[in-house]
Amino acid sequence: MSLIPKKGTVYVVDDDEAVRDSLQWLLEGKDYRVRCFDSAESFLARYDQREIACLIVDVRMGGMTGLELQDRLLERKSPLPIVFITGHGDVPMAVNTMKKGALDFIQKPFNEDELVHLVERMLEHAREAFTDQQQAATREALMSKLTTRESQVLERIVAGRLNKQIADDLGISIKTVEAHRANIMEKLGANTVADLLKIVLGQNAPKA
């Protein structure tokens, strides 16, 4: 058994068994973990949103279509990157799926090298989305430590307001603002305002 870690999970949803088998053989040969489903319904019942994964799904299937599955995932605010498998006549439809956030679409018969490259690109997106989610969860946990007043002061610090302006905004003394500011820095584990902005704004924090 290989000790090399799997690169990530690829979900394949297609009601054509031959397509599922072909994709599984190709992607497992490249050391991806592949999980196949013959319907969108069975996939939704088993999908774990915490997993670093991507989805290859057929546009046209019996029961729930690939397009309807995309809508369901959007409703769940799922970060799962999606690529659609399409027949020639489905291309305009596939373009519409990209407007809803699909990463790409591939036409049958598909080029194996292009597909593998696409899967790697999707999993890179998935890893970035997972990191963002983890950072957001950490940020929310830290922010929950703040009192309502501290949150009001922090909001103004992030907006670039000075202590005197914050004091005027909230009808409190500058000394009280300074005390709140010190508490905020301690609770969020920040040493400087730049640290504070990174914690609160994440990737949107201004560069030093």
Side-chain angles (χ1 to χ4, degrees):
M1 185 174 176
S2 171
L3 296 177
I4 300 171
K6 296 287 183 182
K7 297 176 182 177
T9 298
V10 183
Y11 290 112
V12 176
V13 182
D14 197 309
D15 56 5
D16 184 331
E17 186 178 2
V19 172
R20 293 197 306 274
D21 288 348
S22 171
L23 287 171
Q24 185 163 14
W25 177 84
L26 169 66
L27 294 170
E28 284 185 345
K30 302 291 185 182
D31 205 36
Y32 295 102
R33 182 184 293 109
V34 183
R35 298 182 65 190
C36 294
F37 298 88
D38 60 4
S39 70
E41 291 87 348
S42 61
F43 163 73
L44 277 176
R46 301 285 298 278
Y47 168 50
D48 183 351
Q49 198 159 308
R50 296 165 300 177
E51 193 167 18
I52 295 176
C54 63
L55 171 63
I56 300 174
V57 59
D58 194 4
V59 169
R60 296 181 187 273
M61 294 184 288
M64 187 188 299
T65 67
L67 306 180
E68 290 167 338
L69 174 57
Q70 183 186 29
D71 288 339
R72 290 288 183 88
L73 290 169
L74 287 171
E75 285 168 13
R76 291 187 182 189
K77 295 183 168 52
S78 165
L80 189 67
I82 304 174
V83 162
F84 284 91
I85 301 173
T86 68
H88 178 70
D90 296 332
V91 171
M93 192 187 303
V95 170
N96 191 47
T97 70
M98 292 184 71
K99 291 177 182 174
K100 292 183 179 181
L103 202 62
D104 211 335
F105 58 91
I106 47 176
Q107 280 186 255
K108 300 174 185 174
F110 37 78
N111 177 289
E112 292 185 357
D113 290 338
E114 286 179 11
L115 177 62
V116 171
H117 178 70
L118 199 49
V119 164
E120 188 48 53
R121 193 152 61 90
M122 283 201 291
L123 286 171
E124 188 57 40
H125 275 261
R127 284 186 279 270
E128 288 171 5
F130 183 79
T131 300
D132 289 347
Q133 280 188 326
Q134 294 291 96
Q135 289 173 346
T138 301
R139 193 157 53 242
E140 283 174 23
L142 287 172
M143 300 288 277
S144 69
K145 296 178 180 180
L146 303 182
T147 65
T148 301
R149 179 63 88 193
E150 286 166 353
S151 295
Q152 292 170 340
V153 171
L154 176 59
E155 184 182 329
R156 286 160 176 80
I157 292 171
V158 170
R161 310 271 297 160
L162 302 174
N163 284 357
K164 184 179 185 311
Q165 293 172 315
I166 296 171
D168 291 344
D169 289 346
L170 300 177
I172 56 179
S173 71
I174 293 178
K175 279 194 175 301
T176 303
V177 172
E178 288 169 350
H180 284 315
R181 193 171 185 132
N183 286 340
I184 292 165
M185 301 286 273
E186 184 180 345
K187 288 181 178 180
L188 299 190
N191 295 317
T192 65
V193 173
D195 289 342
L196 201 61
L197 292 176
K198 283 178 190 169
I199 292 165
V200 177
L201 300 176
Q203 292 181 343
N204 297 318
K207 299 289 185 285

